[in-house]
Amino acid sequence: MARDTAAVMNVLSHLSRAPRALVRRYRSHQAATSVELVPQSHPWGRILGLVTVVLLGAWLGLLIVGNVRVPVGPLDTTMTLRPSFTGGTKINVSPLGDLQLDSHTAPVRLDVNVDQLDPARSRALVDHPERLSGLQDEVTQDIAHGTRDLAVRSCVAVVSGATALGLAVYRRPRRALAAGGLALTLLAASGGTAYATWNPDSVLEPKFSGLLSSAPSLVGNARSIVTEFDVYQKELARLVTNMTKLYDVTSTLPAYTPDPSTIRVLHVSDIHLNPASWKIVASLVDQYKINVIVDSGDTMDHGTAAENRFLDPIEDLGAPYVWVRGNHDSRVTQRYLEGLNNVHVLDDGRLVEVAGLRFAGIGDPQFTPDRSKVPGGDAANELAGARLASALRDHTAADTPVDVAVAHEPVAARQTDGEVPLALAGHIHHQEMEVMKYGTRLRVEGSTGGSGLRAVEGKYPDPIQASILYLDRESRRLQAWDEIELGGLGLTTAEVRRHLVEENQPGATESPAPTPAPSPTPSP
């Protein structure tokens, strides 16, 4: 009887628990069903959102706390990392301009702002000039120390910024920490890319651009240039002077430094009757201690006798002037220049030795001042170039090899390939440099007159361009060159680009002499 009673009670107990089990199973099924009904975001959308939060937070962190103040020599600077598509290094020297280096390729750029010149440290250099010898090592150590501090500060900045923004957006510590970790990973990857693509030779070819802040107020707009042209000329010359001095300061970087014996050649071309050019040329001669000026033609615009007085300032430029006739220069122009002091006219391949260099050139065979007649076209210039190349071979056979050949049109200058180390030309109104097939280096100059008074015909004025060529006095070979570019009529921007020939690049071997080209057969 007792066993029957226990069995009954056990059955009743199971029956009483069954509804509760059914209820729990129903509720769990309902909960699962409700979870499935809630729409879930796409994984790629979540990833994109996280990356956006990380990038924005890292950028804000760098912007707020990513700056490092570093004394570099006598200067107080601020270093910062900035997001960039191209990378590189930008040195801001406000308000004069900036120096840009292609130092690396990465999604971050190093910005260095020169805040001020420390009076105490500057005075110490003036009072103790012997300290200048160790200034480069001091600057190198300062930059290395500042870079290490910047790396640590940047890591803290990007992690803090990304974590804080992640916490504000997601309100979950785990998501915020994930954002900070991803930011640190991206920064490390960027740093690794910068290290892998680091180009120490970028300091050898810096690009400097600047703005003379006082020039617009002194010169005024294009209308006032017409009535105050003398002021405009002086301001352009002063721009060259200030820009050159600043470039000399930045040249304390480990770049090519010409020794006192280096021959400095100023290459100008296509002045086209622009009187402002003489002020610029005189300023460059003074600033760069020029030994000789080479003009590759088109100094005039129409070649008339009435224009000859425009050439008179050449006598007072402070350096010998080597000139070759262009297609806008007439024989009248050439005869007038032959009568000026300190001018050496090149034509028919005749050899002239100036400032320790041997020059030979040939005038443009065509006179087309109105640009409407092309009697011989390129064929006439090819024939003129062949005559020049023949003369160069004759000078070499006479044991007086020519160092620099000059022609107005590049078509003529190309015929001298293999006969001379360096050939100079103009005509095309923009700068080019190339090493031709047989080893001759061809340098084509832009318009030192900003294409002359015709520059106002277009929507934007042409730039004023010139070059400083550095030649070794013993070998008489080109070592380096500076490309100088000023904004055209009414503008006050300036750029200087330093370039080295290939054999002067670190680790390079000396280039062989030009290979004599096969003697061309002149066409009738």
Side-chain angles (χ1 to χ4, degrees):
M1 185 67 181
R3 285 196 300 268
D4 293 339
T5 304
V8 172
M9 293 299 295
N10 189 25
V11 171
L12 291 175
S13 174
H14 280 292
L15 290 175
S16 64
R17 288 198 299 267
R20 284 180 288 179
L22 290 174
V23 170
R24 284 198 302 269
R25 186 172 299 177
Y26 173 76
R27 287 178 178 176
S28 63
H29 175 73
Q30 189 179 28
T33 305
S34 63
V35 169
E36 292 176 358
L37 294 177
V38 175
Q40 298 294 316
S41 60
H42 196 277
W44 287 111
R46 294 197 300 270
I47 293 174
L48 181 60
L50 180 62
V51 171
T52 303
V53 168
V54 167
L55 294 179
L56 183 58
W59 178 75
L60 290 175
L62 288 175
L63 194 64
I64 298 172
V65 296
N67 298 335
V68 174
R69 294 184 63 84
V70 181
V72 178
L75 301 173
D76 290 331
T77 68
T78 302
M79 292 185 177
T80 314
L81 287 181
R82 289 284 182 261
S84 171
F85 290 108
T86 58
T89 299
K90 183 178 181 180
I91 304 174
N92 301 302
V93 188
S94 180
L96 297 177
D98 58 70
L99 185 70
Q100 298 180 20
L101 307 175
D102 293 329
S103 57
H104 62 277
T105 302
V108 288
R109 185 186 71 203
L110 174 62
D111 281 6
V112 181
N113 295 312
V114 178
D115 299 326
Q116 64 180 2
L117 189 68
D118 185 86
R121 299 199 298 271
S122 303
R123 193 178 303 111
L125 289 176
V126 174
D127 295 339
H128 303 281
E130 67 275 6
R131 295 186 180 180
L132 290 173
S133 60
L135 183 60
Q136 182 172 336
D137 293 336
E138 179 185 345
V139 168
T140 302
Q141 293 175 1
D142 291 341
I143 292 177
H145 178 70
T147 304
R148 287 193 296 268
D149 290 349
L150 179 62
V152 174
R153 177 69 69 89
S154 298
C155 289
V156 174
V158 299
V159 171
S160 302
T163 303
L165 187 61
L167 189 60
V169 172
Y170 296 114
R171 302 181 183 276
R172 294 180 183 178
R174 184 175 297 179
R175 284 285 185 90
L177 292 176
L182 181 58
L184 183 61
T185 302
L186 292 176
L187 181 62
S190 300
T193 305
Y195 180 80
T197 60
W198 183 255
N199 178 24
D201 298 339
S202 63
V203 297
L204 301 176
E205 297 190 1
K207 178 182 178 182
F208 170 75
S209 60
L211 177 66
L212 188 64
S213 57
S214 61
S217 59
L218 293 177
V219 178
N221 55 27
R223 291 184 178 179
S224 66
I225 292 175
V226 177
T227 58
E228 301 178 17
F229 195 77
D230 183 60
V231 177
Y232 172 68
Q233 294 182 78
K234 292 178 181 178
E235 285 304 311
L236 278 180
R238 199 177 79 171
L239 172 61
V240 173
T241 301
N242 290 348
M243 172 263 297
T244 302
K245 287 181 179 179
L246 183 58
Y247 186 72
D248 286 341
V249 172
T250 59
S251 291
T252 55
L253 295 168
Y256 169 78
T257 303
D259 59 61
S261 65
T262 300
I263 302 175
R264 302 164 187 244
V265 178
L266 172 59
H267 185 198
V268 301
S269 189
D270 296 86
I271 292 176
H272 284 292
L273 216 64
N274 187 347
S277 299
W278 300 133
K279 296 284 186 181
I280 297 171
V281 170
S283 179
L284 290 172
V285 168
D286 180 62
Q287 290 297 312
Y288 284 86
K289 311 302 179 188
I290 296 299
N291 300 108
V292 57
I293 307 167
V294 177
D295 185 345
S296 49
D298 272 5
T299 314
M300 310 297 262
D301 213 20
H302 297 90
T304 63
E307 297 171 323
N308 285 342
R309 297 302 298 272
F310 168 75
L311 302 169
D312 290 346
I314 291 177
E315 293 183 316
D316 302 320
L317 292 177
Y321 201 88
V322 177
W323 181 86
V324 71
R325 186 178 69 252
N327 62 297
H328 282 255
D329 306 315
S330 65
R331 296 280 181 173
V332 174
T333 303
Q334 181 164 317
R335 287 193 293 270
Y336 189 84
L337 278 167
E338 289 172 342
L340 295 181
N341 294 328
N342 217 23
V343 175
H344 306 270
V345 174
L346 303 179
D347 201 4
D348 298 323
R350 293 190 300 270
L351 186 146
V352 174
E353 187 165 353
V354 185
L357 294 174
R358 296 191 186 103
F359 296 90
I362 194 165
D364 197 304
Q366 304 175 104
F367 178 53
T368 57
D370 57 359
R371 304 181 182 180
S372 62
K373 299 178 181 178
V374 186
D378 288 347
N381 278 284
E382 289 175 358
L383 182 59
R387 290 171 51 202
L388 177 57
S390 177
L392 295 176
R393 287 191 291 272
D394 292 341
H395 294 311
T396 301
D399 201 24
T400 55
V402 173
D403 304 308
V404 183
V406 188
H408 177 62
E409 289 218 23
V411 173
R414 290 181 185 280
Q415 308 308 308
T416 66
D417 187 15
E419 309 297 345
V420 67
L422 179 63
L424 304 180
H427 184 66
I428 61 176
H429 294 191
H430 65 266
Q431 297 174 328
E432 291 184 359
M433 177 75 89
E434 67 170 299
V435 178
M436 295 186 288
K437 180 179 180 180
Y438 296 105
T440 295
R441 184 179 292 271
L442 174 61
R443 172 66 188 172
V444 182
E445 190 53 74
S447 174
T448 312
S451 299
L453 299 181
R454 303 185 186 197
V456 298
E457 295 176 356
K459 182 177 180 181
Y460 299 103
D462 294 332
I464 296 172
Q465 296 178 322
S467 297
I468 312 296
L469 312 177
Y470 301 94
L471 285 83
D472 181 76
R473 187 170 292 276
E474 293 185 3
S475 65
R476 300 179 179 182
R477 301 293 294 274
L478 183 68
Q479 304 296 305
W481 72 95
D482 289 340
E483 294 180 352
I484 299 174
E485 180 175 307
L486 305 179
L489 193 65
L491 303 181
T492 53
T493 57
E495 287 187 358
V496 178
R497 299 182 182 91
R498 166 65 56 84
H499 300 274
L500 297 182
V501 296
E502 290 76 6
E503 55 266 31
N504 280 345
Q505 297 286 353
T509 58
E510 185 176 356
S511 63
T515 303
S519 300
T521 302
S523 58

